[in-house]
Amino acid sequence: MSASATADENFGATAGTSALAAESSAVDKRRLNTWAMLCLFSTLALTAHETDDQNMKRSENLWITSVTAITIGFSALAVLAHVASTSVSALFVGTIIEGVVSLILVGLWAGALPVIMDPSNGLAQMYVGKSGSNVADYQATISNANLYFTSWGAGVCALMILAMYIRERLGGSGGMGMGYTSKWYLLMLSSVIVVIESMRFKNQVCSIEGGTDSVTCGRNTYGLVTGIIGLIVSFLISLFSSLGRDSALITTIAGFVMAVLYTLCAGLLTFDNGPATYVGNHYFSAWAGFFISFALFGSVLKEFLGVGGGASPAAAAESGGQDVEMDNI
């Protein structure tokens, strides 16, 4: 009886270890793919920037060139480290070096994206308005689509790499999984953009006489409040999710609140007299918040009601090990 119990315990431990190793390998593979996409997006962003006729070699343009070039170098080295031999890979993959590099790149793009997206710089966006009217109704719209989309692609990839690294280092293998955590990070990013664009619209358009209607500025204020709430909520939930300590009840309530807020936000900002009826950052971030918040609410609602199949591989393996153990008793 004792020998059988010992064998069962060893089998359960082996199964759990194998599952954790498989999960770690899958995470590393996802990070490799994201590093490769970051290198690609950065290369395309650098090309789009250098071939733009608005590039006047000002300090802003030199900053963007530096950020994209640094990102290309770091991401290419990261890809090589991930595909290299085990001894070389062990020096970078999952270590503090990879975390520092990903953090540096997130910081660089956090500084580069506002410059690229500022309509007053005329790099990826520009202001357009109505002529021959007392109210100009200025709004930002995309002026360089290649630079616009590839820059956002690089910024999102850098953030995703950091999110995956943090979750792995903090041991957050429980909870609802990396895909769920990433959605909260993306909602946080969308909220940051809504806040930045709403503040920019308030300072650059609402503050000038005849810049836009008072109704439009009022809707912009609602977007600013929604973005701030979304930023705080998504930061807290993503932090607990990275630790693997997310609560189904709390996240369900948070997902519902954000879905309601962003439904109103997308409607008020992008329809009729909204400040984001033209395609640009304000427009995309409002709708991104809408779709991501509903995706999150659906995920957490299924988990809370117990109808989802979102158990992590480690948890599934542990459960499977216990089933085998029970079968042998």
Side-chain angles (χ1 to χ4, degrees), residues 190-324:
S190 299
S191 299
V192 169
I193 300 168
V194 169
V195 170
I196 292 174
E197 292 300 320
S198 297
M199 287 295 296
R200 182 176 290 156
F201 190 86
K202 178 178 180 295
N203 295 330
Q204 296 182 356
V205 178
C206 292
S207 61
I208 62 175
E209 185 177 356
T212 190
D213 294 323
S214 58
V215 175
T216 304
C217 291
R219 293 187 175 202
N220 182 70
T221 301
Y222 176 83
L224 177 60
V225 173
T226 299
I228 293 173
I229 295 174
L231 174 60
I232 295 172
V233 171
S234 57
F235 171 77
L236 293 175
I237 299 297
S238 60
L239 176 61
F240 285 114
S241 181
S242 295
L243 293 169
R245 297 181 180 179
D246 27 15
S247 164
L249 176 60
I250 294 175
T251 51
T252 300
I253 295 173
F256 174 75
V257 170
M258 295 315 305
V260 172
L261 290 177
Y262 267 107
T263 297
L264 295 174
C265 181
L268 292 175
L269 265 59
T270 65
F271 287 97
D272 196 18
N273 292 320
T277 57
Y278 290 9
V279 176
N281 274 352
H282 220 169
Y283 178 90
F284 283 126
S285 59
W287 281 112
F290 170 80
F291 287 113
I292 295 171
S293 60
F294 267 96
L296 282 166
F297 178 58
S299 299
V300 298
L301 183 62
K302 288 193 297 182
E303 181 75 9
F304 180 67
L305 297 177
V307 296
S312 65
E318 185 178 347
S319 176
Q322 290 174 351
D323 290 341
V324 171

Side-chain angles (χ1 to χ4, degrees), residues 65-89:
T65 301
S66 300
V67 170
T68 51
I70 292 171
T71 304
I72 292 170
F74 276 139
S75 57
L77 291 175
V79 170
L80 291 176
H82 272 265
V83 300
S85 60
T86 305
S87 57
V88 176
S89 179

Side-chain angles (χ1 to χ4, degrees), residues 95-133:
T95 66
I96 190 66
I97 298 176
E98 185 177 20
V100 171
V101 170
S102 60
L103 182 61
I104 290 173
L105 293 181
V106 168
L108 288 175
W109 281 103
L113 283 171
V115 176
I116 295 173
M117 301 302 164
D118 190 343
S120 63
N121 291 332
L123 295 178
Q125 293 191 117
M126 62 183 294
Y127 278 121
V128 296
K130 299 176 182 177
S131 59
S133 174

Side-chain angles (χ1 to χ4, degrees), residues 162-174 185 238-245:
L162 181 61
M164 286 187 280
Y165 172 82
I166 291 175
R167 183 176 175 85
E168 181 182 7
R169 291 289 291 186
L170 293 179
S173 58
Y185 277 104
S238 60
L239 176 61
F240 285 114
S241 181
S242 295
L243 293 169
R245 297 181 180 179

